[in-house]
Structure formats: C-alpha cells, structure tokens
Amino acid sequence: MRVVITGGTGFIGRKLSRALVAKGYQVIALTRSTRVSDISGVRNVVWDGESSSGWEEFIDGATAVVNLAGENIASGRWSTAKKNRILHSRLAAGHAVTEGVTKAKNRPKVVVQASAIGFYGPRGAEPVTEETQSGDSFLAEVSKKWEASTAGIESYGIRRVIVRTSMVLGCGGALSKMIGPFKLGLGSYLGHGHQGVSWIHIDDEVWAIIYLIENKTCSGVYNLSSTHPVTSNKFTDTLGEVLGKRVFLRVPSVLLKLILGQMAEEVLLTGQFVLPERLITAGFNFEHLDLKEALTHFVD
C-alpha cells in the first residue's frame, strides 16, 4: 500500500503522512525542499513541481496519489507576480500528476485533488454545499483551474476525488499566525464581522482524506469543512475566550484593503458558510464539531 503526496512536507501533508504510516501505508512525500523528513516511515523525494521526472517509479503501482501542492495564498499582498505563482504552482503540479499517472504501467486506484472553498466565491449568508455554483473571484477561478488540472485522468477509468478544504485548524497554517497577536491583546474583529468562517480540525481533514481514499464508492467533489461554520465575529470571540483575552479592536475593511489589497477582500473580508453534505452522506463522522473544543487543542 503506497500513497504519493505532492506537497507532502507541508502543513496538511505532514499530518496526513503520519496518519497513513500509522495505518501501514508506505508514504512518498514529494517536496521541492531538500530537507530530510523527520517522520519515520516517510520517504522524501525531491521534485521540480513541474513534471513527473524523478518519481515515476513511485507512482507506478501506487494505491493513491494526493495532490496538495500549491503556493500559499495568505502570505502577503497579491502582486501580479504572486497571483501568477499561486495559479502556476497549482496547474504545474496537476499537470505533473496527470503526466505521471498516464505514463504508469500500473496506474493508481485513486487521485485525490486538493481544492478550496474559495471555489464558491463570496456567498454572504447563504448555506453552501457541493451543489453550489462557482464564483467569479480570483480564488474561484484559481480553484476551477486547479480542479481541472487533473481531470484528464478520469478518461483512464481512475477514480478522482476533489476536496474543497476550508480553513484548517492546527499547529501551523492560518491559526498559528492569529494566536500571537491575540496573546498580546491585539486580537481584532475584521471588517463588519458577519462574513462566514468555515473551518475544520486538522485531524478531521486528514481522516476525511483517508476515508475518501479507502472508500471506493467515493468520487467527485467533497467539502472538507465542519458542519458548524460561524461568523468572523464569532470566531474571533471564541479564539479570544480560549486564550483568555477579551477582544476590543476592530480593523476597518478600508484599512485591511489598503494594506493587503485584493487578498484582504477575498480571504479576510468575505467568506462562505460551507456545509459538508456529501461527506456526511458518505458516512464520515467528524470528531471535532464544536469550535471552542477544536481551538483548545492548539493553544498553550
């Protein structure tokens, strides 16, 4: 049982690798970094992020490929160059996976293609399910192209799963960036605060991916998000409560847009109330559905 993970040394990839090894899988973590993995049972393989060169032998006969690779969307203002990197990194990884899968003599049984709830664009207060149409924002366009980058493998009869992930709570990612200011008493409400925040505990993210790998009847799009999305105000209040810090500050939308531009508009000031309908229907059971309980796992 072998699973190849692009972006295998990233925030989600590392946690997924550990869980797969614990279940008896051999894990090949494709990475553009030369650092050696400290996860027992995981083999790091350096790749260029552009092609299947150098890792064809691992994809041949693999149980699954999980494509997580992509430039971080929330690491600063979106310049034209940054937006190009965000899109190119995802399309290049998807095309590399498609190339590797189609060349393999013994093709993988399933490919799990990462995506994001940004696919839906800003949605106000309406509930969002897998049946909701895509938006027309930058992130929506990136997500559509990202998902399409591996669509060609389906013509070979390979099962493909698309996971549209919400904000993942864990030791790393967006939450780690928030905790520092909150501990200093600088936690802030963002804009009007009524925008939706859809979230998922890192453990549920990982076990949902494994569930979708192992259940042969699962294919197509799945929202990876808790069944209890909240407003941005509620998320801020809850994080402050868990950290024992009251929140007094509110950053106006105009200031966030001035500092971070389009990234603020699409990531911080608008959102969605996403529901994982297909995942629930498929029989997956979440372990962490209460936001306060989930947050307590990651604060000192």
Side-chain angles (χ1 to χ4, degrees), residues 42-100:
V42 175
R43 178 171 178 176
N44 274 22
V45 174
V46 177
W47 75 318
D48 59 8
E50 304 273 345
S51 71
S52 62
S53 177
W55 55 281
E56 300 98 330
E57 64 182 287
F58 303 110
I59 203 170
D60 198 300
T63 301
V65 178
V66 182
N67 183 26
L68 301 176
E71 174 94 2
N72 188 337
I73 67 168
S75 57
R77 192 180 181 94
W78 290 347
S79 63
T80 298
K82 172 70 172 179
K83 289 166 73 173
N84 287 338
R85 290 196 302 272
I86 288 171
L87 178 59
H88 177 76
S89 63
R90 285 159 172 76
L91 298 189
H95 294 154
V97 167
T98 300
E99 177 184 74

Side-chain angles (χ1 to χ4, degrees), residues 5-76:
I5 307 175
T6 73
T9 57
F11 170 45
I12 297 172
R14 285 174 59 82
K15 191 79 172 181
L16 177 60
S17 295
R18 286 194 180 95
L20 286 166
V21 168
K23 285 180 64 70
Y25 287 90
Q26 177 192 18
V27 175
I28 307 299
L30 301 186
T31 176
R32 300 183 70 175
S33 169
T34 57
R35 69 182 183 184
V36 178
S37 174
D38 58 357
I39 304 173
S40 177
V42 175
R43 178 171 178 176
N44 274 22
V45 174
V46 177
W47 75 318
D48 59 8
E50 304 273 345
S51 71
S52 62
S53 177
W55 55 281
E56 300 98 330
E57 64 182 287
F58 303 110
I59 203 170
D60 198 300
T63 301
V65 178
V66 182
N67 183 26
L68 301 176
E71 174 94 2
N72 188 337
I73 67 168
S75 57

Side-chain angles (χ1 to χ4, degrees), residues 98-296:
T98 300
E99 177 184 74
V101 167
T102 55
K103 283 183 177 180
K105 292 181 179 179
N106 298 300
R107 297 187 177 105
K109 303 296 187 296
V110 59
V111 170
V112 177
Q113 171 62 52
S115 186
I117 61 171
F119 174 93
Y120 302 110
R123 286 289 165 177
E126 71 171 287
V128 173
T129 73
E130 291 88 352
E131 299 299 319
T132 302
Q133 296 299 307
S134 64
D136 58 6
S137 62
F138 170 68
L139 289 182
E141 292 300 320
V142 167
S143 297
K144 283 186 282 187
K145 292 176 181 178
W146 195 12
E147 293 178 11
S149 68
T150 54
I153 66 166
E154 293 180 6
S155 63
Y156 293 88
I158 298 169
R159 182 166 62 94
R160 191 171 73 114
V161 173
I162 298 168
V163 290
R164 292 179 184 155
T165 294
S166 57
M167 180 172 65
V168 181
L169 304 183
C171 296
L175 182 62
S176 291
K177 295 178 181 179
M178 297 177 197
I179 288 177
F182 269 79
K183 286 184 174 180
L184 294 173
L186 299 175
S188 303
Y189 300 106
L190 303 178
H192 56 66
H194 302 305
Q195 62 270 34
V197 175
S198 297
W199 59 275
I200 187 170
H201 190 289
I202 183 65
D203 290 347
D204 284 329
E205 171 81 9
V206 164
W207 288 112
I209 292 173
I210 294 173
Y211 187 87
L212 293 167
I213 289 173
E214 295 183 338
N215 284 267
K216 297 178 181 179
T217 60
C218 293
S219 64
V221 175
Y222 293 85
N223 290 334
L224 268 55
S225 183
S226 163
T227 56
H228 292 77
V230 297
T231 65
S232 178
N233 282 344
K234 177 65 174 177
F235 187 92
T236 299
D237 283 336
T238 305
L239 181 56
E241 182 182 356
V242 169
L243 289 167
K245 299 289 185 179
R246 292 190 64 186
V247 180
F248 300 98
L249 304 175
R250 183 176 298 276
V251 183
S253 299
V254 65
L255 181 58
L256 284 169
K257 291 176 186 179
L258 182 64
I259 297 171
L260 295 172
Q262 187 180 1
M263 193 277 273
E265 178 68 29
E266 293 199 26
V267 177
L268 302 177
L269 297 173
T270 58
Q272 311 89 1
F273 293 90
V274 175
L275 301 174
E277 281 195 352
R278 293 199 70 222
L279 198 55
I280 296 297
T281 300
F284 180 75
N285 294 311
F286 286 84
E287 291 293 325
H288 306 281
L289 293 175
D290 179 75
L291 177 60
K292 183 177 178 180
E293 179 272 332
L295 288 171
T296 58

